[in-house]
Amino acid sequence: MLYLSGTLTYLGEFDRARHVQQEALERYRSDPTLVIDPALIRLDQAVGEAIDGDIDDACALAVGTLLDLPAEHRTRIVLKRATDVVQAIPTQRWERPAVSELRELVAPKSGT
């Protein structure tokens, strides 16, 4: 379901993606040891919201997802997916506080 979520999101099939994402997240709730897949699905949701124009909610979802994720699970793929949220937002809206906060979280750190 993780792959289907991403595929549908990036194909612009947001209604179908939302259905898959909701079902997947419900299934993942039964196993709290799984953290990366649900995070990636929530970031897919955020990409869809950003593309739909709901910038503040997209950023809030992405920021919340990153902050809830233990640091050791903020892998390259997770940060890439969060960066996709930023890239789905028109650059003229990047000065919004919510976007700035997300951009700061995904910015490459010096020395890494």
mmCIF file of all heavy atoms in Angstrom, residues 51-91:
data_model
loop_
_atom_site.group_PDB
_atom_site.id
_atom_site.type_symbol
_atom_site.label_atom_id
_atom_site.label_comp_id
_atom_site.label_asym_id
_atom_site.label_seq_id
_atom_site.Cartn_x
_atom_site.Cartn_y
_atom_site.Cartn_z
ATOM 1 N N ILE A 51 -0.165 20.132 -3.595
ATOM 2 C CA ILE A 51 -0.546 20.269 -5.004
ATOM 3 C C ILE A 51 -1.968 20.789 -5.125
ATOM 4 O O ILE A 51 -2.270 21.592 -6.008
ATOM 5 C CB ILE A 51 -0.365 18.924 -5.747
ATOM 6 C CG1 ILE A 51 1.131 18.602 -5.850
ATOM 7 C CG2 ILE A 51 -1.007 18.971 -7.129
ATOM 8 C CD1 ILE A 51 1.448 17.218 -6.355
ATOM 9 N N ASP A 52 -2.836 20.369 -4.217
ATOM 10 C CA ASP A 52 -4.220 20.858 -4.208
ATOM 11 C C ASP A 52 -4.317 22.313 -3.743
ATOM 12 O O ASP A 52 -5.380 22.908 -3.793
ATOM 13 C CB ASP A 52 -5.090 19.985 -3.299
ATOM 14 C CG ASP A 52 -5.670 18.787 -4.017
ATOM 15 O OD1 ASP A 52 -5.552 18.702 -5.257
ATOM 16 O OD2 ASP A 52 -6.249 17.918 -3.326
ATOM 17 N N GLY A 53 -3.220 22.877 -3.243
ATOM 18 C CA GLY A 53 -3.210 24.273 -2.827
ATOM 19 C C GLY A 53 -3.399 24.510 -1.350
ATOM 20 O O GLY A 53 -3.448 25.654 -0.903
ATOM 21 N N ASP A 54 -3.504 23.454 -0.577
ATOM 22 C CA ASP A 54 -3.677 23.593 0.874
ATOM 23 C C ASP A 54 -2.298 23.611 1.531
ATOM 24 O O ASP A 54 -1.875 22.662 2.198
ATOM 25 C CB ASP A 54 -4.533 22.455 1.410
ATOM 26 C CG ASP A 54 -5.095 22.759 2.781
ATOM 27 O OD1 ASP A 54 -4.654 23.749 3.404
ATOM 28 O OD2 ASP A 54 -5.985 22.014 3.221
ATOM 29 N N ILE A 55 -1.590 24.710 1.323
ATOM 30 C CA ILE A 55 -0.183 24.844 1.690
ATOM 31 C C ILE A 55 0.048 24.700 3.196
ATOM 32 O O ILE A 55 0.920 23.945 3.634
ATOM 33 C CB ILE A 55 0.382 26.204 1.209
ATOM 34 C CG1 ILE A 55 0.142 26.409 -0.288
ATOM 35 C CG2 ILE A 55 1.849 26.355 1.580
ATOM 36 C CD1 ILE A 55 0.707 25.383 -1.193
ATOM 37 N N ASP A 56 -0.711 25.426 3.990
ATOM 38 C CA ASP A 56 -0.484 25.401 5.436
ATOM 39 C C ASP A 56 -0.731 24.012 6.023
ATOM 40 O O ASP A 56 0.050 23.536 6.854
ATOM 41 C CB ASP A 56 -1.342 26.444 6.143
ATOM 42 C CG ASP A 56 -0.888 27.865 5.835
ATOM 43 O OD1 ASP A 56 0.306 28.062 5.517
ATOM 44 O OD2 ASP A 56 -1.727 28.780 5.894
ATOM 45 N N ASP A 57 -1.814 23.348 5.597
ATOM 46 C CA ASP A 57 -2.080 22.002 6.110
ATOM 47 C C ASP A 57 -1.028 21.012 5.633
ATOM 48 O O ASP A 57 -0.622 20.126 6.381
ATOM 49 C CB ASP A 57 -3.475 21.525 5.697
ATOM 50 C CG ASP A 57 -4.571 22.155 6.546
ATOM 51 O OD1 ASP A 57 -4.260 22.773 7.582
ATOM 52 O OD2 ASP A 57 -5.754 22.019 6.167
ATOM 53 N N ALA A 58 -0.587 21.153 4.383
ATOM 54 C CA ALA A 58 0.457 20.271 3.858
ATOM 55 C C ALA A 58 1.731 20.405 4.679
ATOM 56 O O ALA A 58 2.342 19.401 5.071
ATOM 57 C CB ALA A 58 0.729 20.599 2.389
ATOM 58 N N CYS A 59 2.118 21.628 4.955
ATOM 59 C CA CYS A 59 3.338 21.863 5.732
ATOM 60 C C CYS A 59 3.177 21.389 7.170
ATOM 61 O O CYS A 59 4.102 20.785 7.736
ATOM 62 C CB CYS A 59 3.715 23.339 5.692
ATOM 63 S SG CYS A 59 4.305 23.863 4.069
ATOM 64 N N ALA A 60 2.023 21.632 7.760
ATOM 65 C CA ALA A 60 1.781 21.191 9.134
ATOM 66 C C ALA A 60 1.866 19.662 9.225
ATOM 67 O O ALA A 60 2.468 19.120 10.167
ATOM 68 C CB ALA A 60 0.428 21.685 9.629
ATOM 69 N N LEU A 61 1.296 18.977 8.248
ATOM 70 C CA LEU A 61 1.347 17.522 8.242
ATOM 71 C C LEU A 61 2.787 17.037 8.075
ATOM 72 O O LEU A 61 3.242 16.143 8.787
ATOM 73 C CB LEU A 61 0.459 16.963 7.130
ATOM 74 C CG LEU A 61 0.414 15.446 6.979
ATOM 75 C CD1 LEU A 61 -0.005 14.769 8.280
ATOM 76 C CD2 LEU A 61 -0.531 15.067 5.850
ATOM 77 N N ALA A 62 3.519 17.640 7.157
ATOM 78 C CA ALA A 62 4.909 17.234 6.921
ATOM 79 C C ALA A 62 5.789 17.529 8.132
ATOM 80 O O ALA A 62 6.576 16.676 8.566
ATOM 81 C CB ALA A 62 5.462 17.930 5.679
ATOM 82 N N VAL A 63 5.665 18.712 8.698
ATOM 83 C CA VAL A 63 6.466 19.084 9.871
ATOM 84 C C VAL A 63 6.127 18.155 11.039
ATOM 85 O O VAL A 63 7.016 17.631 11.713
ATOM 86 C CB VAL A 63 6.252 20.569 10.246
ATOM 87 C CG1 VAL A 63 6.799 20.873 11.634
ATOM 88 C CG2 VAL A 63 6.897 21.470 9.202
ATOM 89 N N GLY A 64 4.845 17.947 11.284
ATOM 90 C CA GLY A 64 4.427 17.060 12.371
ATOM 91 C C GLY A 64 4.957 15.651 12.190
ATOM 92 O O GLY A 64 5.413 15.016 13.143
ATOM 93 N N THR A 65 4.925 15.182 10.950
ATOM 94 C CA THR A 65 5.433 13.839 10.652
ATOM 95 C C THR A 65 6.927 13.752 10.955
ATOM 96 O O THR A 65 7.389 12.806 11.598
ATOM 97 C CB THR A 65 5.161 13.479 9.182
ATOM 98 O OG1 THR A 65 3.734 13.471 8.970
ATOM 99 C CG2 THR A 65 5.744 12.127 8.820
ATOM 100 N N LEU A 66 7.674 14.737 10.511
ATOM 101 C CA LEU A 66 9.124 14.726 10.761
ATOM 102 C C LEU A 66 9.452 14.838 12.241
ATOM 103 O O LEU A 66 10.328 14.133 12.742
ATOM 104 C CB LEU A 66 9.810 15.852 9.988
ATOM 105 C CG LEU A 66 9.843 15.695 8.474
ATOM 106 C CD1 LEU A 66 10.439 16.936 7.822
ATOM 107 C CD2 LEU A 66 10.619 14.449 8.077
ATOM 108 N N LEU A 67 8.752 15.726 12.942
ATOM 109 C CA LEU A 67 9.050 15.921 14.356
ATOM 110 C C LEU A 67 8.632 14.726 15.217
ATOM 111 O O LEU A 67 9.247 14.462 16.254
ATOM 112 C CB LEU A 67 8.403 17.206 14.863
ATOM 113 C CG LEU A 67 8.954 18.502 14.259
ATOM 114 C CD1 LEU A 67 8.206 19.704 14.810
ATOM 115 C CD2 LEU A 67 10.455 18.625 14.488
ATOM 116 N N ASP A 68 7.597 14.003 14.782
ATOM 117 C CA ASP A 68 7.152 12.819 15.518
ATOM 118 C C ASP A 68 8.055 11.613 15.270
ATOM 119 O O ASP A 68 8.024 10.649 16.029
ATOM 120 C CB ASP A 68 5.718 12.438 15.132
ATOM 121 C CG ASP A 68 4.690 13.399 15.701
ATOM 122 O OD1 ASP A 68 5.034 14.183 16.614
ATOM 123 O OD2 ASP A 68 3.536 13.373 15.228
ATOM 124 N N LEU A 69 8.831 11.686 14.214
ATOM 125 C CA LEU A 69 9.687 10.563 13.827
ATOM 126 C C LEU A 69 11.005 10.635 14.594
ATOM 127 O O LEU A 69 11.675 11.662 14.580
ATOM 128 C CB LEU A 69 9.942 10.653 12.319
ATOM 129 C CG LEU A 69 10.420 9.435 11.578
ATOM 130 C CD1 LEU A 69 9.428 8.291 11.713
ATOM 131 C CD2 LEU A 69 10.613 9.788 10.117
ATOM 132 N N PRO A 70 11.398 9.560 15.274
ATOM 133 C CA PRO A 70 12.693 9.572 15.952
ATOM 134 C C PRO A 70 13.810 9.896 14.956
ATOM 135 O O PRO A 70 13.751 9.481 13.790
ATOM 136 C CB PRO A 70 12.825 8.139 16.490
ATOM 137 C CG PRO A 70 11.415 7.631 16.575
ATOM 138 C CD PRO A 70 10.684 8.293 15.449
ATOM 139 N N ALA A 71 14.802 10.604 15.410
ATOM 140 C CA ALA A 71 15.881 11.078 14.539
ATOM 141 C C ALA A 71 16.527 9.951 13.740
ATOM 142 O O ALA A 71 16.852 10.133 12.564
ATOM 143 C CB ALA A 71 16.931 11.820 15.361
ATOM 144 N N GLU A 72 16.680 8.791 14.338
ATOM 145 C CA GLU A 72 17.326 7.688 13.625
ATOM 146 C C GLU A 72 16.486 7.153 12.467
ATOM 147 O O GLU A 72 16.978 6.413 11.622
ATOM 148 C CB GLU A 72 17.696 6.540 14.579
ATOM 149 C CG GLU A 72 16.522 5.834 15.212
ATOM 150 C CD GLU A 72 16.053 6.441 16.535
ATOM 151 O OE1 GLU A 72 16.445 7.577 16.869
ATOM 152 O OE2 GLU A 72 15.277 5.776 17.226
ATOM 153 N N HIS A 73 15.227 7.546 12.407
ATOM 154 C CA HIS A 73 14.348 7.114 11.318
ATOM 155 C C HIS A 73 14.151 8.201 10.253
ATOM 156 O O HIS A 73 13.422 7.977 9.296
ATOM 157 C CB HIS A 73 12.991 6.682 11.866
ATOM 158 C CG HIS A 73 13.070 5.434 12.686
ATOM 159 N ND1 HIS A 73 13.430 4.209 12.177
ATOM 160 C CD2 HIS A 73 12.862 5.238 14.011
ATOM 161 C CE1 HIS A 73 13.418 3.309 13.134
ATOM 162 N NE2 HIS A 73 13.084 3.903 14.260
ATOM 163 N N ARG A 74 14.809 9.323 10.429
ATOM 164 C CA ARG A 74 14.726 10.381 9.405
ATOM 165 C C ARG A 74 15.773 10.094 8.325
ATOM 166 O O ARG A 74 16.781 10.780 8.206
ATOM 167 C CB ARG A 74 14.936 11.754 10.033
ATOM 168 C CG ARG A 74 13.785 12.159 10.911
ATOM 169 C CD ARG A 74 13.927 13.578 11.429
ATOM 170 N NE ARG A 74 13.165 13.688 12.658
ATOM 171 C CZ ARG A 74 13.533 14.351 13.713
ATOM 172 N NH1 ARG A 74 14.671 15.028 13.716
ATOM 173 N NH2 ARG A 74 12.786 14.386 14.793
ATOM 174 N N THR A 75 15.487 9.084 7.566
ATOM 175 C CA THR A 75 16.401 8.610 6.535
ATOM 176 C C THR A 75 16.366 9.520 5.308
ATOM 177 O O THR A 75 15.524 10.423 5.215
ATOM 178 C CB THR A 75 16.007 7.185 6.115
ATOM 179 O OG1 THR A 75 14.684 7.231 5.555
ATOM 180 C CG2 THR A 75 16.052 6.225 7.305
ATOM 181 N N ARG A 76 17.244 9.236 4.373
ATOM 182 C CA ARG A 76 17.264 10.025 3.133
ATOM 183 C C ARG A 76 15.933 9.990 2.414
ATOM 184 O O ARG A 76 15.480 10.995 1.894
ATOM 185 C CB ARG A 76 18.347 9.504 2.189
ATOM 186 C CG ARG A 76 19.710 9.961 2.525
ATOM 187 C CD ARG A 76 20.637 9.587 1.397
ATOM 188 N NE ARG A 76 21.990 9.494 1.894
ATOM 189 C CZ ARG A 76 22.993 9.032 1.208
ATOM 190 N NH1 ARG A 76 22.800 8.588 -0.004
ATOM 191 N NH2 ARG A 76 24.181 9.004 1.729
ATOM 192 N N ILE A 77 15.322 8.808 2.354
ATOM 193 C CA ILE A 77 14.042 8.703 1.637
ATOM 194 C C ILE A 77 12.960 9.524 2.337
ATOM 195 O O ILE A 77 12.148 10.169 1.694
ATOM 196 C CB ILE A 77 13.606 7.229 1.440
ATOM 197 C CG1 ILE A 77 12.376 7.147 0.534
ATOM 198 C CG2 ILE A 77 13.324 6.531 2.750
ATOM 199 C CD1 ILE A 77 12.604 7.528 -0.892
ATOM 200 N N VAL A 78 12.966 9.531 3.652
ATOM 201 C CA VAL A 78 11.989 10.326 4.399
ATOM 202 C C VAL A 78 12.222 11.815 4.129
ATOM 203 O O VAL A 78 11.276 12.558 3.825
ATOM 204 C CB VAL A 78 12.062 10.020 5.914
ATOM 205 C CG1 VAL A 78 11.228 11.013 6.715
ATOM 206 C CG2 VAL A 78 11.607 8.597 6.187
ATOM 207 N N LEU A 79 13.469 12.245 4.200
ATOM 208 C CA LEU A 79 13.766 13.664 3.949
ATOM 209 C C LEU A 79 13.504 14.034 2.498
ATOM 210 O O LEU A 79 13.043 15.148 2.213
ATOM 211 C CB LEU A 79 15.200 13.983 4.358
ATOM 212 C CG LEU A 79 15.462 13.893 5.858
ATOM 213 C CD1 LEU A 79 16.936 14.108 6.163
ATOM 214 C CD2 LEU A 79 14.590 14.879 6.621
ATOM 215 N N LYS A 80 13.744 13.103 1.578
ATOM 216 C CA LYS A 80 13.443 13.372 0.168
ATOM 217 C C LYS A 80 11.946 13.565 -0.026
ATOM 218 O O LYS A 80 11.498 14.465 -0.723
ATOM 219 C CB LYS A 80 13.964 12.224 -0.705
ATOM 220 C CG LYS A 80 13.495 12.266 -2.148
ATOM 221 C CD LYS A 80 13.972 13.522 -2.876
ATOM 222 C CE LYS A 80 13.625 13.468 -4.347
ATOM 223 N NZ LYS A 80 12.650 14.475 -4.737
ATOM 224 N N ARG A 81 11.161 12.717 0.614
ATOM 225 C CA ARG A 81 9.701 12.823 0.483
ATOM 226 C C ARG A 81 9.215 14.135 1.100
ATOM 227 O O ARG A 81 8.329 14.785 0.562
ATOM 228 C CB ARG A 81 9.037 11.626 1.154
ATOM 229 C CG ARG A 81 7.616 11.368 0.758
ATOM 230 C CD ARG A 81 7.421 10.878 -0.674
ATOM 231 N NE ARG A 81 8.097 9.642 -0.976
ATOM 232 C CZ ARG A 81 7.582 8.430 -0.880
ATOM 233 N NH1 ARG A 81 6.348 8.267 -0.499
ATOM 234 N NH2 ARG A 81 8.300 7.361 -1.182
ATOM 235 N N ALA A 82 9.820 14.560 2.199
ATOM 236 C CA ALA A 82 9.465 15.852 2.798
ATOM 237 C C ALA A 82 9.881 16.995 1.875
ATOM 238 O O ALA A 82 9.170 17.997 1.759
ATOM 239 C CB ALA A 82 10.114 15.994 4.169
ATOM 240 N N THR A 83 11.013 16.846 1.211
ATOM 241 C CA THR A 83 11.446 17.857 0.240
ATOM 242 C C THR A 83 10.472 17.923 -0.927
ATOM 243 O O THR A 83 10.226 19.007 -1.473
ATOM 244 C CB THR A 83 12.868 17.529 -0.261
ATOM 245 O OG1 THR A 83 13.745 17.532 0.868
ATOM 246 C CG2 THR A 83 13.360 18.551 -1.274
ATOM 247 N N ASP A 84 9.894 16.784 -1.293
ATOM 248 C CA ASP A 84 8.878 16.773 -2.356
ATOM 249 C C ASP A 84 7.681 17.637 -1.986
ATOM 250 O O ASP A 84 7.053 18.239 -2.861
ATOM 251 C CB ASP A 84 8.419 15.350 -2.651
ATOM 252 C CG ASP A 84 9.475 14.502 -3.337
ATOM 253 O OD1 ASP A 84 10.499 15.064 -3.803
ATOM 254 O OD2 ASP A 84 9.274 13.271 -3.407
ATOM 255 N N VAL A 85 7.365 17.684 -0.708
ATOM 256 C CA VAL A 85 6.265 18.555 -0.264
ATOM 257 C C VAL A 85 6.623 20.006 -0.576
ATOM 258 O O VAL A 85 5.818 20.751 -1.152
ATOM 259 C CB VAL A 85 5.962 18.379 1.242
ATOM 260 C CG1 VAL A 85 4.857 19.329 1.688
ATOM 261 C CG2 VAL A 85 5.594 16.934 1.558
ATOM 262 N N VAL A 86 7.820 20.413 -0.206
ATOM 263 C CA VAL A 86 8.277 21.785 -0.484
ATOM 264 C C VAL A 86 8.230 22.062 -1.979
ATOM 265 O O VAL A 86 7.734 23.097 -2.425
ATOM 266 C CB VAL A 86 9.698 22.024 0.067
ATOM 267 C CG1 VAL A 86 10.219 23.391 -0.356
ATOM 268 C CG2 VAL A 86 9.725 21.885 1.578
ATOM 269 N N GLN A 87 8.723 21.122 -2.766
ATOM 270 C CA GLN A 87 8.785 21.329 -4.210
ATOM 271 C C GLN A 87 7.407 21.364 -4.867
ATOM 272 O O GLN A 87 7.268 21.894 -5.968
ATOM 273 C CB GLN A 87 9.667 20.261 -4.849
ATOM 274 C CG GLN A 87 11.116 20.427 -4.445
ATOM 275 C CD GLN A 87 12.009 19.310 -4.941
ATOM 276 O OE1 GLN A 87 11.549 18.233 -5.292
ATOM 277 N NE2 GLN A 87 13.305 19.580 -4.961
ATOM 278 N N ALA A 88 6.400 20.833 -4.196
ATOM 279 C CA ALA A 88 5.037 20.882 -4.719
ATOM 280 C C ALA A 88 4.380 22.247 -4.490
ATOM 281 O O ALA A 88 3.311 22.524 -5.020
ATOM 282 C CB ALA A 88 4.185 19.782 -4.078
ATOM 283 N N ILE A 89 5.045 23.091 -3.718
ATOM 284 C CA ILE A 89 4.520 24.416 -3.380
ATOM 285 C C ILE A 89 5.137 25.442 -4.320
ATOM 286 O O ILE A 89 6.354 25.471 -4.498
ATOM 287 C CB ILE A 89 4.856 24.767 -1.913
ATOM 288 C CG1 ILE A 89 4.223 23.732 -0.974
ATOM 289 C CG2 ILE A 89 4.417 26.188 -1.563
ATOM 290 C CD1 ILE A 89 4.738 23.800 0.452
ATOM 291 N N PRO A 90 4.320 26.290 -4.930
ATOM 292 C CA PRO A 90 4.888 27.329 -5.802
ATOM 293 C C PRO A 90 5.900 28.186 -5.030
ATOM 294 O O PRO A 90 5.655 28.574 -3.879
ATOM 295 C CB PRO A 90 3.670 28.160 -6.212
ATOM 296 C CG PRO A 90 2.493 27.254 -6.001
ATOM 297 C CD PRO A 90 2.865 26.360 -4.854
ATOM 298 N N THR A 91 7.036 28.474 -5.663
ATOM 299 C CA THR A 91 8.114 29.189 -4.973
ATOM 300 C C THR A 91 7.681 30.551 -4.452
ATOM 301 O O THR A 91 8.197 31.016 -3.443
ATOM 302 C CB THR A 91 9.351 29.358 -5.879
ATOM 303 O OG1 THR A 91 8.956 29.987 -7.092
ATOM 304 C CG2 THR A 91 9.997 28.023 -6.169
#
